Amino acid sequence: MRESDQPDPGLPGDSSNEAGEPVTSSRRRAAEPSENAGAKSSPLTGILTAIRSHPRAWIIAGASAAFVLLGGGTVALGATVGASAEAVPTSSVSPSATKTPVPTKSAAPVRPVPANAPAASRIRTCSVAGLSQDRRLGNFEGQVVNAKTGEVLFDRNGSQPAPTASVLKTLTSAAALKILGPDYRVSTTVVRGSTPGQIVVVGGGDVTLSRLPAGQASFYPGAPKIQDLADQAKAAMNGEPITSIVVDTSLFGGPVWEPSWNEQSERIGEGSTSYITALQVDGDRNNPTAIESPRSADPVGRAMQFFQQYLGTNVPVTEGKAPAGAQQIAAVQSQPVTALVDQAMRVSDNTIMEELARLVTIKTGAGNTFTAENAGVTSALKAYGIDTAGIHIADGSGLSPNNAVPPSYLTRLFIKVMNREDGLGVVYDGLPVSGKSGTLAPSYARFTGANAVARGAVHAKTGWITHGYTLSGIINSADGTPLTFAVFALGPVSDNAKQAIDTLVTGIYKCGDNLSNN
């Protein structure tokens, strides 16, 4: 009981009778016999005489009377207590009576109610769980997101970083667009040397520079010509004899081959990748017009051979560095970054992507080697506002099994690609299309047979390394919902993993926003 709920103590000098009624001092005096009462005959005298005459009978009668009085007092006391909770008319209470407070009923406590009750979760019923358990997928990781709402619809180890294969080219492209800019062009220049008649060819990292003469197209559309570079230098010398040539490739640091790559397969056999040098022609292909062609062991030497040929001289060539502040006498430029990204994404060109990753790393100040690319490319990606935790960049092409990117990062990045944010529309435009173009074309046996139902609906980047097949991009699903996805088939997998991936992605296409995570 609180202090405010204690009853009043009453007035000094008051008391109560057996019935609980207050008795004042004046009433006590009235109840006492007067001093001379014994001098007069009274009814009490006769009663005492009767008691003495019949003591036993009066004892019994007295006990009965006492019982009745006590019972009545109990009832009266109960009535008094029971009435204390009720209002008593003022006229019926003696002015000196104890005042009993009337309890006030407390209001029931108000229970807290959420300001906004959570909406009931939608129950989705279309499952691809069985398709994701196809043994051909090996150790499967994947995630699917509703690109409009950002809700994750399907997830299997989606936050686990893993090798991406060529899907990594999406990250390299995003980094190049952010750091180099969409309009940046890579220059190859010639400057005067430190001695009379000496010229220095300075490699700027452009791997698309072509050795083919004017009028002949190389594999890279719109590529600059080393013939043009030689012609400019010759004209600038204005008849002065060229006495020696120095080649400066110091822009890119060594090694020229990432240690985890399979050189026998990638450079010599299949011919998908060249040594990464700051000067080369046609991606150092033996066949300058082929998508894949064996590459040489000396890309710089090959480039200088054609430069000398167009220059019309056989003077000695040595490696060195251009003098500080040397006069430039010739220059050619690559296509802009947007064109380089488009070309590399469509055919999954490793050498262009290695060039872009290295240029990004240099521009960020992280260094000019493979080992510096993790810091350089990752710092560039942070500008997009997506958490880069767990990402490791070992190269720019995705060839290394040491690359690590969680599927969840790709699903978020592809939302930006789909919405063409920050110039990423060029990445979307360069994505292969299911059953139609690039590395998802029928010539690659992709989205054929029953999976042809998703033909044209999937815009995605493919990937393949020895222990992994990957696919990531955007699905325009059957119900019209845009989805972003990333699926990795890792471990002991073989070429038939591609068909299992296509079947899974086709199932996702059919489910659309009704895709269940169960």
Side-chain angles (χ1 to χ4, degrees), residues 413-431:
L413 179 61
F414 270 110
I415 291 177
K416 294 182 178 292
V417 171
M418 183 191 74
N419 293 329
R420 299 180 173 272
E421 296 179 27
D422 301 306
L424 291 171
V426 64
V427 176
Y428 180 87
D429 294 337
L431 291 172

Side-chain angles (χ1 to χ4, degrees), residues 79-103:
T80 302
V81 172
S84 65
E86 299 177 1
V88 179
T90 305
S91 60
S92 65
V93 180
S94 169
S96 61
T98 301
K99 296 181 180 180
T100 303
V102 179

Side-chain angles (χ1 to χ4, degrees), residues 97-192:
T98 301
K99 296 181 180 180
T100 303
V102 179
T104 302
K105 292 183 179 181
S106 301
V110 179
R111 295 182 178 180
V113 178
N116 295 309
S121 300
R122 173 182 171 183
I123 299 177
R124 294 177 166 87
T125 58
C126 190
S127 175
V128 294
L131 299 178
S132 69
Q133 295 169 3
D134 191 319
R135 291 183 178 179
R136 294 176 293 175
L137 296 174
N139 302 320
F140 175 74
E141 292 184 10
Q143 188 180 89
V144 182
V145 168
N146 181 320
K148 284 188 174 180
T149 65
E151 181 179 4
V152 176
L153 304 183
F154 178 85
D155 187 277
R156 296 293 184 273
N157 297 316
S159 60
Q160 180 65 39
T164 63
S166 285
V167 168
L168 190 81
K169 291 180 172 69
T170 307
L171 277 67
T172 304
S173 298
L177 288 164
K178 180 63 68 175
I179 297 300
L180 303 177
D183 300 322
Y184 179 80
R185 295 172 183 263
V186 186
S187 297
T188 306
T189 61
V190 178
V191 300
R192 285 191 175 272

